[in-house]
Amino acid sequence: MAAAHTTVLELLGKQVSFVYTIDISSIAHSLDCSGVITNIVISLNDEPQISIDDGDFYKLSELSDFKLV
């Protein structure tokens, strides 16, 4: 994450960029993503997730090269 003291709620409304890697048919594809965090999901049974520009949701642990822009 951007900084150790940053909480997921503080990211709401911030412009971010990150790399998301997904396996399709056992082949890794990396997607460069950027936008404004518009949604945050906090669960008692799972890790926090974010969505950018009201789009897909991403688990924070699955993101690499995460930056506040």
Side-chain angles (χ1 to χ4, degrees), residues 5 10 13 53:
H5 63 275
E10 291 174 340
D53 301 328

Side-chain angles (χ1 to χ4, degrees), residues 11 15 19 29 36 51:
L11 296 174
Q15 180 81 26
V19 176
H29 298 276
V36 175
S51 78

Side-chain angles (χ1 to χ4, degrees), residues 44-63:
L44 294 175
N45 300 324
D46 205 0
E47 61 188 283
Q49 298 180 35
I50 61 170
S51 78
I52 54 172
D53 301 328
D54 289 321
D56 295 332
F57 283 84
Y58 305 94
K59 290 184 178 182
L60 291 179
S61 67
E62 297 175 346
L63 308 180

Side-chain angles (χ1 to χ4, degrees), residues 13-24:
K14 300 284 196 297
Q15 180 81 26
V16 298
S17 67
F18 56 86
V19 176
Y20 177 69
T21 303
I22 186 168
D23 288 330
I24 300 173

